[in-house]
């Protein structure tokens, strides 16, 4: 029972594992089998030794771990605040009153006279609030909560969530942000958002992170979870919704404080009395309450939430050999300034954002401008949008800052997705979220095709085959089958059948996909909770820790042979020691985001030992043993030997169900076994309709794939009675039964010819073979007497003769000395013994004597034969002893009864008597159960009666008679004569019990000579006894017989047809002569087997080995008809009434959605046209006003005042975002972008926001007041002064060569203002030198070293007709981007510092000459994030191209490449637009590719 509970718990936890939900097995140790032998996961499956922790033990572990690792924050210095609390109490600067502080906090001697500082006067202590949380009055839903310090490491929080709380690592992180106050959404938009959010969270195994409070967007998420849980839409457990809230802003938090943990803690939601605080949302599953030691301050949780989300997104989740970094997406509803900052930071961190249009405020502002060119997103436009969606006025600086941030957000359109309900083909939020992640993934730069691989990994992890079909398997990318192999492995292990079907449709061939190492890896990753895993673990218990794949598969074959039966040969053979040495080591199958390393698994080696596998069979078995229904169905549809495969699956499932303890799994296995039996019947029916003879060949064809067995044998082993009772199979058995005789011969003809065999020459009997029909020789007699039907009837006649002779001897001729008839019985019985021995040792399949004995004794009738023979031998032994002659006769008489019972088996072949015999056998089981109940009443009544009536009866035989025998006879009406004292006669009993022929008298009153026992009691007992036995039990027996009859009667025909096979096979292989003449056949057989050593062979009629060509043609025919069967099944499913109703319902729903979307789109188009018309009218009015004024002044006016018409925003019925796709970004966005990022790199300095329109120095920007920043550099001698004082800078000569420094710009003379040069490209939002070396231009050199990409034969590779280049790139440290080997140069030097770090010194001079011979492809300004208003980078890009691969300079360059720094990497990389270079380097590389007319 303990193991069953453990297995159910494992099954519940493993449901999330199909989406990479558990810690994976490390594939680096593939040569080991940790799952099956030594891992804790496997040991947990051991049903008798596993230990199940109770909830109390878990709580104790949590109560000890959390205080040791998780801290809270508490104020330790009370300083009175000038502001009282809401209740008018005196509070500390931390917000808490005096009574909420520790006693020592009110008298802190160490801090006297100090100002209150949270960094100093708040300390960490073990947390006192954690455990389970229950919301009072809101059901029994239990969540988890924890109070922790804002400084808690993210790694520790993640450990708490995954290990202590037991959450599975997510496949996706959804961070929902937006308005913290309640806001209204349109009902339809609210419904669409809730449905989509929960769908993506549920299907992809995501975590949803919110603020956790019962207000605003958090409330919307909570209500979505509530509605879906109430609707029963959850099928894989609850959605993980994590609320990260501020502890100090939480209302009623005192109820959560439990120093030893609250299990559970009851929390009351009191929205009316919460004041400026907030309540937790009851629909979240987990709460992280962030504490900074203060009360009433919001936003404390934001830094911790940001760090935690970033940490989780950096974790790698591995499952099924696939490792992916957990993706994160930000979903935005409504929101204010804080939400804008969240979106801005998310976009800058590369996190895709989904903005829901129509939710209000910030979300609508961004949605309105998302489709516009950057140049049109102006300060005035943002001000207009703010006034439209916000109430109240904004400061000018705020508007400028918002404009800059929105421009930066919209600029990275690949990370921004606007969900517009009913527009752009969008219908569901879940699709928008997943498409946003894929769109962001596409925008990332990767080498080769890793970007597509990463997208496919995400789709598989989310289990969203619809996304894969619409976004990944498109005409844009043509997948090679080998590229899908890693994902195929992942889909198989994680049980994603839809992806397996998708991969098969896109070219994956199972024959190429499945290899020995693949099978090894799949069996290593068996579901830990499946029964086959447990059985395999037991088999492997004696093996060493490290296994060859072939050894593991041999043990798999052992377990499979147990399930399939010994009629099959092992599917995988055990390798010889020499083969093991030739086996290649199994490679790592771990797939990481940087590359796919599973592909070496599929590289074949000529030195590898041959290993015969059937890929479809092997995958089908792997799926079936784990009871994976849909996966097995897909694989079975690919199978060749489909009838045998279906029957084998049925057999495996039925055998596993016998050992399965979980009732649900057991029922699923039996249902699935029945399905596969029906599939076998369906395909065989198709075959039988087409060609009866070929269909019957399929039945007895030896299947090499399934252990050299046959379909018929598999069906018999699986006890698939429906299949065996099929008309085609019964026709085949009938044909075997009649041998070479025609099946239309009457039985009377056969019997007549048996008795008078010369009639065979008269044509009374017809033969199927025309040659025999025409022949009149000995062959005709041999064919007749070798037919199983003739052999059977000859044996019946012989057996009846034996019984008659036996009865005659017992009743008439049993002499002290055996007579001739008796000797004839001995000979006859000896022939029967010889026949039984022949059957015992008959082993045509070579399974061994032990198995042959087991098979022989598994048959009930064989057991009966052995008992009858042994009893005869015992009787004969006694009979030959004169003193035991009578005993011998008794034993032989009983033995005669057993021989007569053997007739029942003989007549099972009869269609009339056979079913009745089956019913009798089943009823015999009912009788045994009934006898137990009857014995209880018989013994209880008999003992009570005997004890009341008789005193101290010591004769055992009379005790048995009184207690059992008489009680039993009472049931049938033979009542005891003296039980009521009326019929008592002293002469019929013995007073003292001395007369052996009379029972002892009951208790007697000596004075009156009458019985003294209480007659009323014995009569009452008798009445009750008869009531229960005659009425209750006997009617119960009748009811049981009736139930058994009804139950068996329905299947009697099937059972009879199934058992008919055994009798036919027995007589088909039996010698034709009946006993006792069969001794001659046995003598011939003895000489043949023992003397001549000729092995036994199974008759071809039941096991036929076909030629390869014939077998291939037969299997091809079977596959063709299997496809017909599958199509017919699909058509029938569509024709079912319920399916038609469902199809109609889907069509109606689709039509309604289309109509609603059309209405929304039409109304949206009208609104856009009206808005455009209003703007045009306003501009027209302004123009008319100007014309009137000009005419009044009698002049033509000034050109400056002429208004310009606003261009039409969108054409009728067209969405702005769609329209923007066709627009080329206008030159307004050509200003430097990277140089205006608000956060300056490598420091915490924030730039002054500079929108696009304010970049040029010529544009007036009165409020422009950028901060000043110059970084301290170690090489102070090589850099300009800090620049905060103008006097040291006065020595610098700008726009000229200043010593060794060239301060001239490639863009001409630049302006100098207040002693500082001005960036020629405009404002950057930061003054000073920044992190650069000098004021003004900082010159760099970028050598672009290229060569042609060549194939192995030396030919230049091409793509899209164009030649392909390779470029030399370097990477430093943990950076994800590569770069060209150039950069800044030391004064007076030619080569950049970075290039010197990858070239040996002896090659420097040679490379300088290469530079002089190179081609200059670019000279000018570089948009670098380090640029400031007063310092910027300009570069010269020189192309050095090696035309010939045999170029000596190229060979010298390759030989002199090295890295002086361990963190520096160097490589030649194919030039492609997806190459992960910095943007400015990619622009240079694109110019080089265009120069050489090469592919880019």
């Amino acid at each position: 029972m303990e193991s069953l509970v453990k297995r159910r718990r494992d099954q519940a936890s493993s449901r999330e594992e199909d989406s990479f939900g558990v810690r994976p097995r490390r594939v680096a140790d593939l040569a080991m089998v940790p799952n099956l032998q030594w891992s804790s996961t496997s040991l947990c499956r051991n049903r008798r030794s596993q230990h199940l922790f109770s909830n109390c033990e878990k709580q104790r572990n949590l109560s000890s771990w959390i205080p040791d690792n998780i801290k809270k924050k508490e104020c330790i210095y009370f300083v009175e605040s000038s502001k009282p609390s809401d209740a008018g109490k005196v509070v500390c600067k931390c917000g808490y009153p005096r009574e909420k502080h520790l006693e020592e906090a009110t008298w802190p001697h160490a801090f006297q006279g100090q100002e209150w500082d949270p960094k100093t006067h708040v300390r960490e202590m073990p947390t006192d609030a954690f455990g389970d949380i229950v919301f009072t009055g809101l059901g029994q839903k239990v969540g988890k909560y924890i109070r922790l310090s804002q400084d808690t490491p993210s790694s520790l929080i993640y450990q708490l969530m995954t290990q202590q709380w037991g959450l599975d690592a997510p496949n996706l992180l959804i961070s929902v942000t937006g308005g913290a106050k309640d806001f209204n959404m349109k009902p339809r938009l609210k419904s669409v958002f809730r449905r989509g959010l929960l769908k993506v969270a549920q299907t992809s195994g995501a975590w949803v992170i919110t603020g956790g409070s019962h207000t605003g967007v958090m409330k919307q998420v909570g209500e979505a979870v509530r509605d879906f849980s109430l609707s029963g839409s959850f099928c894989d457990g609850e959605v993980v919704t994590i609320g990260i809230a501020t502890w100090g802003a939480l209302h009623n938090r005192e109820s959560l404080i439990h120093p030893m943990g609250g299990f559970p803690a009851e929390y009351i939601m009191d929205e009316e009395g919460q004041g400026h605080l907030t309540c937790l949302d009851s629909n979240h599953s987990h709460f992280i309450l962030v504490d900074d030691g203060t009360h009433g301050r919001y936003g404390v949780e934001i830094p911790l939430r940001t760090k935690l989300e970033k940490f989780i997104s950096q974790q790698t989740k591995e499952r099924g050999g696939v490792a992916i970094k957990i993706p994160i997406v930000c979903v935005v509803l409504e929101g204010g300034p804080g939400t804008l900052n969240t979106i801005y930071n998310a976009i800058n961190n590369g996190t895709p954002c989904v903005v829901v249009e129509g939710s209000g405020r910030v979300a609508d502002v961004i949605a309105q401008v998302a489709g516009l060119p950057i140049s049109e997103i102006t300060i005035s436009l943002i001000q207009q949008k703010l006034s439209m969606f916000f109430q109240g006025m904004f400061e000018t600086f705020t508007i400028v800052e918002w404009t800059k941030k929105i421009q930066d957000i919209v600029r990275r359109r690949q990370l921004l997705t606007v969900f517009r309900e009913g527009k752009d083909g969008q219908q569901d939020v879940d699709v928008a979220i997943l498409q946003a992640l894929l769109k962001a993934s596409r925008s990332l730069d990767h080498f080769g095709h890793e970007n597509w691989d990463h997208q496919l990994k995400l789709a598989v992890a989310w289990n969203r085959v619809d996304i894969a079909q619409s976004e990944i398997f498109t005409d844009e990318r043509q997948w090679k089958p080998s590229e899908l192999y890693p994902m195929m492995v992942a889909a198989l292990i994680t049980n994603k059948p839809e992806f397996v079907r998708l991969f098969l449709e896109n070219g994956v061939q199972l024959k190429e996909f499945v290899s020995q190492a693949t099978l090894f890896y799949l069996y290593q990753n068996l579901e830990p909770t499946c029964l086959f895993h447990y059985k395999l673990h037991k088999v492997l218990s004696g093996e060493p820790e490290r296994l060859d794949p072939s050894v593991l598969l041999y043990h798999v074959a052992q377990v499979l042979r147990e399930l399939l039966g010994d009629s099959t040969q092992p599917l995988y053979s055990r390798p010889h020691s020499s083969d093991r040495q030739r086996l290649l080591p199994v490679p790592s199958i771990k797939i990481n985001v940087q590359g796919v390393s599973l592909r070496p698994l599929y590289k074949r080696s000529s030195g590898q030992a041959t290993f015969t596998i059937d890929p479809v069979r092997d995958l089908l078995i792997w799926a079936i043993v784990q009871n994976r229904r849909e996966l097995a169905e897909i694989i079975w549809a690919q199978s060749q030997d489909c009838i045998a495969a279906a029957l084998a699956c049925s057999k495996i499932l039925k055998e596993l169900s016998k050992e399965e303890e979980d009732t649900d799994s057991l029922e699923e296995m039996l249902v699935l076994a029945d399905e596969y039996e029906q599939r076998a019947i369906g395909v065989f029916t198709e075959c039988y309709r087409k060609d009866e003879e070929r269909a019957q060949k399929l039945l007895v064809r030896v299947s090499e794939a399934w252990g050299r067995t046959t379909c018929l044998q598999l069906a018999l082993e699986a006890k698939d009675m429906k299949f065996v009772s099929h008309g085609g199979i019964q026709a085949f058995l009938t044909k075997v039964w009649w041998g070479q005789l025609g099946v239309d011969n009457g039985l009377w003809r056969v019997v007549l010819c048996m008795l008078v065999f010369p009639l065979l020459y008269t044509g009374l009997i017809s033969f199927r073979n025309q040659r025999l029909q025409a022949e009149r020789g000995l062959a005709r007699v041999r064919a007749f007497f070798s037919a199983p039907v003739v052999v059977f009837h000859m044996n019946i006649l012989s057996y009846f003769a034996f019984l008659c002779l036996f009865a005659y001897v017992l009743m008439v001729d049993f002499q002290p000395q055996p007579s001739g008839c008796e000797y004839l019985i001995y000979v006859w019985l000896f022939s029967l013994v010889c026949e039984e021995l022949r059957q015992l040792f008959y082993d045509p399949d070579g399974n061994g004597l032990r198995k042959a004995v087991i098979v022989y004794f598994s048959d009930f009738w064989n057991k009966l034969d052995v008992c009858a023979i042994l009893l005869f031998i015992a009787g004969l032994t006694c009979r030959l002893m004169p003193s035991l002659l009578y005993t011998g006769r008794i034993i032989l008489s009983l033995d005669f009864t057993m021989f007569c019972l053997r007739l029942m088996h003989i007549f099972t072949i009869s269609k009339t008597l056979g079913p009745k015999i089956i019913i009798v056998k089943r009823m015999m089981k009912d009788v045994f159960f009934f006898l137990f109940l009857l014995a209880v009443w018989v013994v209880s009544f008999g003992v009570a009666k005997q004890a009341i009536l008789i005193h101290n009866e010591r004769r055992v035989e009379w005790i048995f008679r009184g207690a059992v025998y008489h009680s039993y006879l009472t049931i049938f009406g033979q009542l005891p004569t003296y039980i009521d004292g009326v019929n008592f006669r002293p002469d019929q009993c013995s007073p003292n019990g001395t007369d052996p022929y009379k029972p002892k008298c009951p208790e007697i009153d000596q004075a009156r000579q009458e019985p003294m026992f209480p007659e009323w009691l014995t009569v009452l007992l008798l009445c009750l006894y008869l009531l229960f036995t005659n009425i209750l039990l006997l009617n119960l027996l009748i009811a049981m017989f009736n139930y058994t009859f009804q139950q068996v009667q329905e299947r009697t025909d099937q059972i009879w047809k199934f058992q008919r096979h055994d009798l036919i096979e027995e007589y088909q292989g039996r010698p034709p002569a009946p006993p006792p003449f069969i001794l001659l056949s046995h003598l011939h057989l003895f000489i043949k087997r023992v003397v001549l050593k000729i092995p036994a062979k199974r008759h071809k009629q039941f096991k036929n080995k076909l030629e390869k060509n014939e077998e291939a043609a037969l299997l091809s025919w079977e596959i063709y008809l299997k496809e017909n069967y599958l199509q017919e099944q699909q058509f029938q499913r569509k024709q079912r009434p319920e399916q038609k109703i469902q199809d109609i319902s889907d069509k109606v729903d689709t039509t309604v959605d289309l109509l609603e979307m059309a209405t929304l789109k039409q109304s949206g188009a009208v609104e856009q046209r009206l808005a455009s018309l209003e703007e045009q009218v306003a501009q027209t009015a302004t123009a008319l006003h100007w014309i009137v004024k000009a005419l009044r002044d009698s002049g033509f006016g000034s050109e400056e005042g002429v208004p310009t018409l606003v261009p039409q925003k969108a054409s009728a019925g067209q969405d702005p975002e769609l329209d923007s796709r066709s627009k080329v970004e206008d030159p307004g966005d050509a200003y430097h972008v990277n140089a205006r990022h608000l956060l300056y790199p490598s420091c915490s300095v924030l730039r002054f926001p500079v929108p696009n329109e304010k970049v040029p120095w010529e544009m007036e920007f009165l409020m422009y007041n950028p901060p000043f920043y110059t970084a301290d550099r170690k090489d102070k001698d090589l850099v300009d002064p800090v620049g905060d004082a103008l006097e040291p800078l006065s020595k610098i000569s700008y726009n000229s060569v200043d010593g060794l420094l060239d301060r001239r710009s490639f863009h001409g003379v630049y302006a100098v203002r207040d002693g500082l040069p001005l960036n020629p490209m405009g404002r950057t939002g930061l003054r000073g030198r920044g992190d650069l070396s000098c004021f003004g231009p900082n010159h760099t050199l970028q050598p672009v070293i290229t060569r042609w990409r060549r194939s192995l034969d030396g030919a230049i590779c091409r793509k899209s007709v164009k030649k392909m280049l390779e470029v030399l790139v370097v990477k430093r440290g943990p950076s994800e981007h590569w770069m060209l080997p150039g950069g800044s140069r030391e004064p007076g030097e030619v080569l950049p510092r970075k290039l010197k770090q990858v070239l040996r010194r002896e090659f420097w001079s040679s490379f300088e000459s290469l530079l002089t011979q190179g081609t200059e492809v670019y000279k000018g300004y570089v948009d670098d994030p380090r640029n400031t208003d007063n310092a910027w980078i300009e570069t010269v890009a020189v192309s050095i191209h090696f035309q010939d691969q045999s170029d000596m300079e190229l060979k010298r360059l390759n030989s002199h490449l090295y890295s002086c720094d361990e963190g520096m990497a160097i490589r030649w990389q194919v030039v492609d637009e997806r190459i992960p270079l910095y943007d400015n380097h990619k622009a240079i590389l694109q110019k080089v590719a265009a120069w050489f007319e090469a592919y880019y």
Side-chain angles (χ1 to χ4, degrees), residues 306-347:
T306 303
K307 290 187 290 185
L308 178 62
E309 290 175 350
K310 184 177 181 180
F311 177 83
I312 296 175
S313 66
Q314 293 172 345
Q315 301 307 300
T316 300
K317 182 166 185 183
E318 187 178 338
R319 177 77 173 106
V322 174
I324 61 169
K325 281 190 175 180
I326 299 173
I328 180 175
V329 63
C330 180
V331 180
V332 182
L333 272 80
E334 211 241 7
T339 302
L340 180 64
N341 290 332
T342 302
I343 301 171
Y344 179 79
N345 293 330
I347 293 290

Side-chain angles (χ1 to χ4, degrees), residues 1344 1346 1348 1362-1365 1417 1439 1471-1473 1482-1496:
V1344 186
T1346 59
W1348 294 118
K1362 293 186 177 181
K1363 298 179 180 179
M1364 299 181 69
L1365 285 171
V1417 293
S1439 171
V1471 175
D1472 186 274
E1473 64 177 348
K1482 287 183 71 173
I1484 295 172
L1485 192 59
Q1486 187 175 6
K1487 293 179 181 293
V1488 172
W1491 178 268
F1492 290 106
E1493 296 182 351
Y1495 174 78
Y1496 181 75

Side-chain angles (χ1 to χ4, degrees), residues 643 683-701 711 728-729 732 1114 1117 1121:
I643 297 178
V683 177
F684 183 77
T685 302
E686 290 287 332
C687 296
Y688 191 72
R689 287 174 183 169
K690 285 287 183 181
D691 192 330
E692 295 182 10
E693 185 177 351
R694 297 181 81 180
Q696 291 173 357
K697 275 187 180 180
L698 282 173
L699 288 177
V700 294
R701 179 190 64 87
C711 293
I729 298 173
F732 166 75
L1114 192 63
W1117 179 69
L1121 293 174

